[in-house]
Amino acid sequence: MKLEIVLQKLSACFLKIEAGFDYGPQGRLLLRNVENLWFHHCVTTSRYNVFLSGTDKFSKTIQDLKVANIDTLPFGLAAFDNSKIAWNQSLLNSGNKTIVHKVAKVVTFCEESNSRDLFHKKQRERKAWWRKLVQQPSIFFLTESKKGKNNEVIDIKAEFPFGNITVETISHQRDVRKMFLQDKNCSDSENDLSAVEHVTSLDWGCLVLLCDSYKEKAPFPTLQLLPKIAPYKAICKVNVEANERESIIEDLNQLVLYINNLLRTSGLGTILIKDNLSEMLQVPFVIGVNKVSLRSGIVTVSSHVTTLAESVHVSQLVDYIASYCK
């Protein structure tokens, strides 16, 4: 598998990289899903307070937290930004031109005595998070640390036949007053503060997820994206016999609309189409309805990834699909 081939065959709907990351309609949904999962894990469900800020407003945010008396250690600041720092330049034919990519970061401030433990804990946590998003968890690995005078940096990379892609950097910064607080008048008691920062490239991460899911399959290549990151979770298909009555077909179409609305109002993305294009659209679940469904409420749910099919009652359909999207 070559990176150029993957991009050429999937660029129409997902992603192409020329002057920058250019997403198709499904690629934008993939990026949004990854961003939402990152925010849920790193901000919403963090074990300590993480406050949303801007990359150029960390100093002001910290001062605001001090005034509000909610700067108890440890605490984190999260931000989104478009990075112009070069990542993975050797993988693309972009010459010396830097490709801008979207990043999400969290800087966690803590006491110096606890910073080393936090640094190593973040490495384990972040690598484990990436491994939950792919078919082949073993592609992710930690690089050897790069040590400077006041900091130490470790990268998380994904290994492919065409090369390794860096998706995240984790750093331990000891000179917090100079690098983050930007306050030369800090008291000496603040010199024992350290910071652990992890910066995730959402764009490069999406590329890794696409490469991991890419499968050569006749008559066209396919993606086996995990349901939690797939742009659409399900597609509904009407199964009718030849010469079926128009009234039955109309009732089945109404059932399809009902199922779509049921899933969508529960936060599970679906797509309405006339033909069965789940293979091309890379939808993980196909919900089949027929005349029996009208009488019993039972539908057939087929998994694009496992190729297995199960009978599920409409009343349990949301819980069934949602259980695979956590």
Side-chain angles (χ1 to χ4, degrees), residues 1-9 91-93 162:
M1 177 181 67
K2 293 184 178 181
L3 178 58
E4 293 80 4
I5 295 176
V6 176
L7 291 173
Q8 287 172 5
K9 293 186 177 181
L91 294 176
L92 303 173
N93 297 321
F162 54 75

Side-chain angles (χ1 to χ4, degrees), residues 278-301:
S278 60
E279 287 282 334
M280 293 182 64
L281 293 172
Q282 320 304 338
V283 179
F285 294 105
V286 177
I287 302 169
V289 299
N290 53 30
K291 283 197 299 185
V292 176
S293 304
L294 296 175
R295 297 194 303 269
S296 65
I298 301 295
V299 298
T300 302
V301 182

